[in-house]
Amino acid sequence: MHELSVAVELVELACQAARQGRATKVTTLRLRWGDLCGVAEEALRFAFEVAAKGTETEGASLEIERVPGRELE
């Protein structure tokens, strides 16, 4: 499941940023990704909940902004 590895990486990055900022809780992660990234949104949301358990990101919401794909120049 590709989404699980993406979710684990998101949690690790968010926790690292929280620790650097001396925060104890992450409430929101804002993501921006292209339509062609190959990540299923619902699967990512589920995987994120699993990966976040017991971390600073547990209970955080994902705000996902989808951007259209574009041709490479």
Side-chain angles (χ1 to χ4, degrees):
M1 176 185 231
H2 172 67
E3 287 79 6
L4 182 56
S5 63
V6 172
V8 168
E9 186 67 22
L10 287 172
V11 168
E12 289 176 0
L13 289 170
C15 288
Q16 189 176 62
R19 290 181 198 121
Q20 287 176 350
R22 297 181 186 214
T24 58
K25 185 78 176 148
V26 175
T27 58
T28 306
L29 276 79
R30 291 183 182 92
L31 309 176
R32 188 171 186 228
W33 79 52
D35 285 333
L36 304 176
C37 71
V39 175
E41 184 174 336
E42 290 308 311
L44 177 63
R45 288 184 184 282
F46 176 79
F48 177 77
E49 285 184 33
V50 173
K53 286 201 188 298
T55 74
E56 293 94 329
T57 61
E58 185 170 3
S61 65
L62 291 178
E63 290 182 5
I64 300 172
E65 177 188 353
R66 299 195 66 130
V67 294
R70 62 180 188 180
E71 292 183 31
L72 296 176
E73 298 175 6

